[in-house]
Amino acid sequence: MPSHDHKAVDLVFKVLKWYKPDVIVNIGDLADGTGTSRWADGTTEEVFAQAQAESQEVKDYWARVRKAAPNARLIWTEGNHDLRPFDYVDKKAPALKELITPESLWSLSEYGVEYLSYDMPPQVAMGDLYVHHGVAVSKHAGDSVRSDVENWGVSVIRGHSHRMGTFAKTWEMRDETLWGYEIGHLMDESKATYSQVHNWQKGFAIGLEEDGKHHIDLIKINSDYTCYVGGKKFAV
Ligand SMILES: [Fe+2]
């Protein structure tokens, strides 16, 4: 936010209300941090207004999630955009560091959101699957998560690349397969003025855990804002 695709987000909420998940993870880069990025532009008043509007949009988003899923566990894995305000204060006003926090910006305790720092290693998401915003970036879908899986040595689900893809590697002698999932993005590409080529895929993921094993479905959002979950069609 604020460069999200409103219709794509509406579609995710439609699926969310139907699927009724126990756990909802926002994979990060939820808050763009435009006003505190190194490309920030404008007067102090303009940048402040931008930051304030963004903060409100993020709060409204979590309020909407909480309303749609009153009892779900909510997790936000911090992305490199989300941490921009904290980096900014770190560099320019370290004395105020304790004042500018995820809680002070986004009132996360009000919505019961757990915030996982980008600096943390991946955390267990479901069974044998770990979640993180993602570190490596490749221009090929599925290739970014390949690097993260190989570096961390566990199955990983992540965002960051804006691409959607799956990676798997099997060691037959060990009877082991590691999986990697890149889950796409929910951005309005027309607002991505920083790049001209958007080899990106819009979408999200759903999953479940059984007997300590994870099962993930990547759900692609079509250009007419439809998607299919287990053969059921959703549209906005
Ligand atoms: Fe990112």
Side-chain angles (χ1 to χ4, degrees), residues 27-29 78-82 118 133-134 137 158-162:
I27 206 80
D29 287 350
E78 182 181 63
N80 48 302
H81 284 247
D82 304 318
Y118 188 71
H133 176 65
V137 177
R158 51 158 278 174
H160 191 44
S161 64
H162 293 204

Side-chain angles (χ1 to χ4, degrees), residues 58-89:
V58 171
K59 286 193 248 184
D60 291 347
Y61 162 80
W62 282 118
R64 188 179 178 192
V65 175
R66 180 48 83 205
K67 191 164 176 241
N71 301 313
R73 183 178 171 199
L74 307 184
I75 299 170
W76 176 356
T77 57
E78 182 181 63
N80 48 302
H81 284 247
D82 304 318
L83 57 76
R84 279 173 169 172
F86 314 119
D87 257 4
Y88 180 87
V89 171

Side-chain angles (χ1 to χ4, degrees), residues 124-141:
V124 172
M126 49 169 70
D128 54 350
L129 180 66
Y130 288 71
V131 68
H132 191 274
H133 176 65
V135 175
V137 177
S138 158
K139 60 182 180 179
H140 304 294

Side-chain angles (χ1 to χ4, degrees), residues 27-104:
I27 206 80
D29 287 350
L30 172 60
D32 186 48
T34 318
T36 47
S37 85
R38 60 193 139 127
W39 297 284
D41 201 13
T43 63
T44 303
E45 287 76 15
E46 283 165 352
V47 171
F48 179 70
Q50 211 173 26
Q52 206 174 28
E54 185 182 294
S55 158
Q56 189 57 50
E57 274 198 297
V58 171
K59 286 193 248 184
D60 291 347
Y61 162 80
W62 282 118
R64 188 179 178 192
V65 175
R66 180 48 83 205
K67 191 164 176 241
N71 301 313
R73 183 178 171 199
L74 307 184
I75 299 170
W76 176 356
T77 57
E78 182 181 63
N80 48 302
H81 284 247
D82 304 318
L83 57 76
R84 279 173 169 172
F86 314 119
D87 257 4
Y88 180 87
V89 171
D90 225 14
K91 286 190 188 108
K92 305 204 176 199
L96 302 178
K97 200 175 166 174
E98 301 300 315
L99 288 177
I100 307 297
T101 64
E103 180 62 28
S104 71

Side-chain angles (χ1 to χ4, degrees), residues 3 20 44 58 66 106 114 143 175 177:
S3 306
K20 297 185 176 60
T44 303
V58 171
R66 180 48 83 205
W106 302 306
E114 300 166 43
D143 202 44
D175 187 24
T177 299

